[in-house]
Amino acid sequence: MYPKKLYLEVTTNCNMSCGMCVKNAPGSSISNQHLNIAIFKKLLPYLSHVQELVLNGIGEPLLHPDLLWMISKAHEQMADKRASETSDKRASETSEDCWIGFQTNGLLLTSSLTEQLLDAGLNRLCISVDSVPEKQKCGISLTHSNDLPASPFSMVDAVRRQKNKSRFQLGAEIVLLRETLPQLPQLIQRLAEEGVDFILVSHLLPYHKDAEPQSLFTPYTEEARAIYLKWKKLADKEGIDLSDLTAKTWIAPRVEHELRLKQLYKYMLEDAWEKGLWVNIKKLSEWDEESIATTKEIFRKAREIAAEHKVELSLPPLTAKQNRSCTFIEDDAVLIDVNGTVTPCHQLWHTQTVHMDEPKHFNCKSFGNVLEQDLLEIWRSTPYQQFRQAVQQYDYPFCHSCTLGPCPDITGETEPFSNDCFGIEVPCGHCLWGFDAVRCL
């Protein structure tokens, strides 16, 4: 068994300094360097087994001086595989289910470079954009630049039409912010008119505390909210506020009111646990129904516009899902950083701290380095296989919905991570990727 999707970080250099980027987060130690071609050459033999190659990481791919050469060589390997499988000697282009792509901020794109990229074999390009030109930016400078002299989307679309590259897919990635959300329908309209085929929308991953209020994602499930409202209604009838429960009241209730509060709280927890739900009373009581309703209406308008223009629009959920799913593991993906380090997912690609209610620190999870070991040997190693199996069990806790936090794992007292409160040895309970809240190409 081989990895089916390979993310290769070709550079950590960037020509922008976005506030939403982990590289610009407080305490970041991510380097500025290009991928050594020796690493790419080590990976070439495996590309004939890969269906999707994403030449992306923290930096701007177009800054790497050998990007065109890498795309060309990868295209040769992947197209040869398609030709041998189909016995079609005319398979000079990668098939629809086998593609090479990357995400860019678009600042370096020109017509000439776009032609070269398409000729080399690139067939999926995603350009980051977060707001409508001339609209105000987020006060903490989270957005990408929107002050380009001309639309890179229109330019790329014109080039691909001129060269008749029908299989080439042009996309846009939008990171939702509370401040720029109202612009979403207008932005979708503009992107559709400029020739995009698909639009990928993601929630913000807050890498510093000041960014957290801009996140629109609610990391609690609607099922948990329903349980809370059910028992809140019963408690309200008796003049009891469920949020009044304290550790002291729970351990040693002194009066009848406290005894009843503990009893109702216990019944609610039992009701939730029977359904496999986690409830955090404090957070569920702060659930912003009006904000969610407003966002849903904006999403509805965005979907209508996308459908009218036949643009594939992928919008993230607004609340956590009860059934989590790790696309990295499910898609048999492997991530390799600029130094050749093999990691399992975006959340563990680089050491980082994410702020979502509480600051959660993640360390890079390495299973080896392709300069020292064979990629297939690393992929098939017992530790890596056990990691993938553990993730797919989805037995880890819903850390955002825990009422006992912050635990030693969140505060870093158990640094480095060894296991969660269930004894599970994968650090996935706090990951927003599993809720499909944060996405990438």
Side-chain angles (χ1 to χ4, degrees), residues 230-367:
K230 169 186 171 181
W231 289 97
K232 180 181 183 301
K233 183 177 180 181
L234 291 172
D236 287 348
K237 285 183 178 180
E238 300 182 30
I240 294 174
D241 187 345
L242 288 175
S243 62
D244 284 343
L245 187 74
T246 63
K248 185 176 180 181
T249 306
W250 179 262
I251 295 170
R254 296 168 298 174
V255 296
E256 184 176 344
H257 176 84
E258 292 178 350
L259 283 167
R260 181 56 178 162
L261 172 59
K262 177 181 177 179
Q263 186 181 51
L264 286 172
Y265 203 98
K266 183 179 179 182
Y267 289 158
M268 181 184 64
L269 292 179
E270 290 174 351
D271 190 7
W273 279 104
E274 283 179 5
K275 297 176 175 63
L277 300 172
W278 290 61
V279 291
N280 183 319
I281 298 302
K282 181 179 184 301
K283 297 301 179 182
L284 290 173
S285 66
E286 297 171 352
W287 185 286
D288 192 343
E289 204 75 64
E290 182 177 348
S291 174
I292 292 175
T294 299
T295 305
K296 284 182 177 179
E297 176 58 20
I298 292 173
F299 275 19
R300 185 192 64 77
K301 292 178 182 177
R303 287 192 183 96
E304 283 185 356
I305 294 169
E308 178 185 346
H309 292 274
K310 295 181 172 55
V311 172
E312 180 185 340
L313 175 62
S314 178
L315 293 168
L318 297 177
T319 61
K321 299 184 296 184
Q322 183 63 20
N323 296 319
R324 292 170 288 187
S325 177
C326 177
T327 56
F328 300 107
I329 301 300
E330 301 286 352
D331 292 348
D332 288 328
V334 64
L335 290 77
I336 301 173
D337 76 5
V338 73
N339 296 304
T341 302
V342 177
T343 60
C345 62
H346 267 289
Q347 189 70 86
L348 303 176
W349 203 347
H350 291 280
T351 296
Q352 56 191 285
T353 299
V354 175
H355 292 264
M356 206 70 182
D357 296 329
E358 301 288 347
K360 165 61 180 172
H361 188 70
F362 294 91
N363 284 308
C364 170
K365 177 70 175 178
S366 170
F367 287 100

